[in-house]
Amino acid sequence: MTTISLAFCPITVDDVDAAIPFYRDGLGLEIVNDVSYESHRWVSFGLPQQAGLAVVLSNPQAGRSPEDGEALERLVVKGSAPGPYVFSTDDLDATFERLRASGAEVLQEPIAQDWGPRDCAFRDPAGNHIRINQV
């Protein structure tokens, strides 16, 4: 049987440098690659418990036509970019407090959802909706 796995999860941000502390220090991800190519830059983060999977932050114009990049940037800066992006942790309260202490915008404190997980939510510095589930 053929196997398939997810290798990259792209997240568009308007300022890669501003977003790095949220993902590195707040979520605890590790930078594994920082690439500048022509006028673009992307930073890949590894997930310690998921070898082979990377979260990739890039600007809206990376790999897109100028028109598509501008359209995506307008969505990102008004907080309407694709998402939410859902992470999971074995210690939701510690993760929540670490992100809140970093100054990240809290959308929802940890609660047990009627429909399933106990979770919380933030916006990253670009405005992306980030949810974190307790596992």
Side-chain angles (χ1 to χ4, degrees):
M1 175 178 225
T2 300
T3 60
I4 189 166
S5 60
L6 181 63
F8 300 101
C9 177
I11 298 178
T12 302
V13 296
D14 58 337
D15 184 337
V16 172
D17 285 321
I20 287 174
F22 179 88
Y23 290 91
R24 182 192 58 209
D25 306 332
L27 288 177
L29 307 183
E30 301 170 3
I31 294 176
V32 294
N33 210 356
D34 188 338
V35 178
S36 293
Y37 179 73
E38 296 180 348
S39 62
H40 306 298
R41 178 175 175 218
W42 60 92
V43 175
S44 301
F45 292 86
L47 291 84
Q49 303 303 317
Q50 288 182 281
L53 177 61
V55 171
V56 182
L57 303 182
S58 64
N59 62 26
Q61 291 76 26
R64 296 179 179 87
S65 70
E67 296 80 18
D68 288 350
E70 290 169 12
L72 183 55
E73 185 167 14
R74 285 193 298 274
L75 292 173
V76 169
V77 297
K78 72 179 204 180
S80 296
Y85 299 98
V86 182
F87 293 84
S88 59
T89 179
D90 62 353
D91 192 339
L92 181 65
D93 295 313
T95 302
F96 175 81
E97 290 304 330
R98 192 171 54 247
L99 280 166
R100 178 164 56 185
S102 77
E105 180 185 354
V106 176
L107 295 178
Q108 174 206 300
E109 295 198 9
I111 60 170
Q113 300 288 355
D114 292 339
W115 45 268
R118 182 169 180 268
D119 69 355
C120 65
F122 288 88
R123 287 209 187 277
D124 75 4
N128 290 297
H129 182 175
I130 307 296
R131 301 198 70 82
I132 305 165
N133 291 348
Q134 174 75 48
V135 291

